[in-house]
């Protein structure tokens, strides 16, 4: 079954304590991305990756890092979390068709992060 | 960055009624996508539009890509209780689903 998995699903932490949210996909997709979802703001892209070792900033990258050492995994790292990073985070994996029309994006189930 | 204005923010409708929601942008998009998010889950793609003027249906859902390329709408006909959720529009200036800009969502409640 095509899947994007995220862990943990829920996390409460304190300011400054480094954390990593893992994301894994089993569809051999090259393109993966991270979004945060906040009330009234929809989803905003944090980082994306076109392929292994190729990552780039999205719209709201400040305070986040990512890595793409393997095709299937795309972890999101918060080196020093702050309360304004309290949010719902989604990882997404995208099948890119040739030409673009036909792209299909799969979202993970989400990680609810609270930073105290 | 680019912004999408999605309206309405929320809707309460009776089961069986038709629903319409729309998104407008200040800039041109080459791709419009509509997603639905159920509570506790990630968004799921409903309809993808890649051509200005395109009208596409998926069961009771119909979406259109505006000819100015700055707007899109989604219609749901004969709503049922499982239509409840948050609906998001998303646009991209590329002709693909990369680097999407999302609207703020429309929360739909269907009353029995």
């Amino acid at each position: 079954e095509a899947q994007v998995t995220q862990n943990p699903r829920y996390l409460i932490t304190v300011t400054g304590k480094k954390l990593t949210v893992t994301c894994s996909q089993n569809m051999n997709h090259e393109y993966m991305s991270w979004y945060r979802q906040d009330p009234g703001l929809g989803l905003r892209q944090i980082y994306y990756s076109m392929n292994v070792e190729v990552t780039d900033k999205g719209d709201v990258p400040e305070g986040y890092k990512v890595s793409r050492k393997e095709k299937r995994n795309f972890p999101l790292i918060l080196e020093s979390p702050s309360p304004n990073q309290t949010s719902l985070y989604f990882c997404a994996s995208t099948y890119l068709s040739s030409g673009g029309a036909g792209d299909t994006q799969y979202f993970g189930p989400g990680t609810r992060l609270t930073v105290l | 960055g680019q912004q999408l204005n999605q309206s309405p923010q929320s809707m309460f409708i009776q089961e069986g009624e038709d629903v319409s929601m729309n998104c407008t942008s200040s800039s041109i998009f080459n791709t419009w996508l509509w997603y639905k998010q159920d509570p506790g889950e990630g968004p799921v793609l409903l309809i993808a539009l890649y051509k200005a003027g395109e009208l596409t249906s998926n069961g009771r859902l119909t979406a259109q890509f505006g000819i100015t390329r700055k707007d899109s709408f989604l219609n749901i006909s004969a709503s049922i209780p499982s239509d409840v959720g948050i609906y998001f529009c998303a646009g991209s200036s590329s002709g693909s689903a990369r680097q999407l800009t999302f609207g703020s969502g429309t929360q739909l409640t269907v009353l029995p």
Side-chain angles (χ1 to χ4, degrees):
Chain A
E1 182 195 348
Q3 253 189 344
V4 179
T5 55
Q6 292 179 229
N7 281 294
R9 293 290 311 276
Y10 301 90
L11 180 60
I12 300 174
T13 189
V14 295
T15 299
K17 186 175 180 184
K18 180 179 177 180
L19 66 93
T20 299
V21 184
T22 64
C23 173
S24 183
Q25 50 98 358
N26 63 359
M27 296 166 279
N28 203 37
H29 291 165
E30 291 173 350
Y31 189 91
M32 297 182 73
S33 49
W34 275 101
Y35 292 86
R36 61 177 287 173
Q37 182 179 12
D38 302 291
L41 295 176
L43 284 85
R44 294 178 292 167
Q45 192 178 53
I46 303 170
Y47 267 93
Y48 63 95
S49 169
M50 298 286 289
N51 212 329
V52 174
E53 303 291 3
V54 181
T55 63
D56 210 343
K57 296 177 181 177
D59 296 320
V60 287
E62 293 78 23
Y64 304 95
K65 281 174 55 177
V66 292
S67 72
R68 189 90 182 273
K69 294 190 170 64
E70 310 160 276
K71 205 173 197 179
R72 63 181 292 122
N73 296 323
F74 189 43
L76 179 70
I77 303 152
L78 284 72
E79 293 269 3
S80 183
S82 61
N84 65 12
Q85 292 179 296
T86 293
S87 188
L88 180 57
Y89 291 86
F90 287 101
C91 178
S93 177
T94 304
Y95 164 72
L96 297 178
S97 61
S98 57
D103 288 356
T104 308
Q105 192 168 48
Y106 298 84
F107 282 87
T111 295
R112 187 165 291 283
L113 172 65
T114 301
V115 183
L116 302 173
Chain B
Q2 296 169 318
Q3 283 192 321
L4 284 183
N5 295 311
Q6 185 171 350
S7 64
Q9 260 189 322
S10 61
M11 302 181 76
F12 292 80
I13 60 167
Q14 294 291 141
E15 185 176 353
E17 286 183 349
D18 297 344
V19 172
S20 186
M21 58 192 80
N22 70 82
C23 274
T24 59
S25 168
S26 56
S27 51
I28 287 175
F29 284 124
N30 292 313
T31 302
W32 283 96
L33 305 172
W34 285 92
Y35 291 83
K36 183 189 178 208
Q37 184 180 25
D38 290 322
E41 311 219 351
V44 173
L45 182 67
L46 298 173
I47 293 180
L49 303 158
Y50 296 101
K51 204 168 158 184
E54 183 180 355
L55 184 73
T56 297
S57 293
N58 178 5
R60 293 178 296 106
L61 278 61
T62 302
Q64 183 155 32
F65 190 144
I67 56 171
T68 65
R69 292 200 267 159
K70 291 186 178 182
D71 63 329
S72 177
F73 71 76
L74 175 71
N75 285 343
I76 305 172
S77 62
S79 57
I80 59 178
S82 62
D83 290 335
V84 165
I86 305 176
Y87 292 79
F88 290 101
C89 62
S92 174
S93 53
S94 72
S96 74
R98 306 173 211 210
Q99 293 164 268
L100 296 173
T101 297
F102 279 79
S104 54
T106 295
Q107 172 74 60
L108 178 64
T109 302
V110 180
L111 304 169

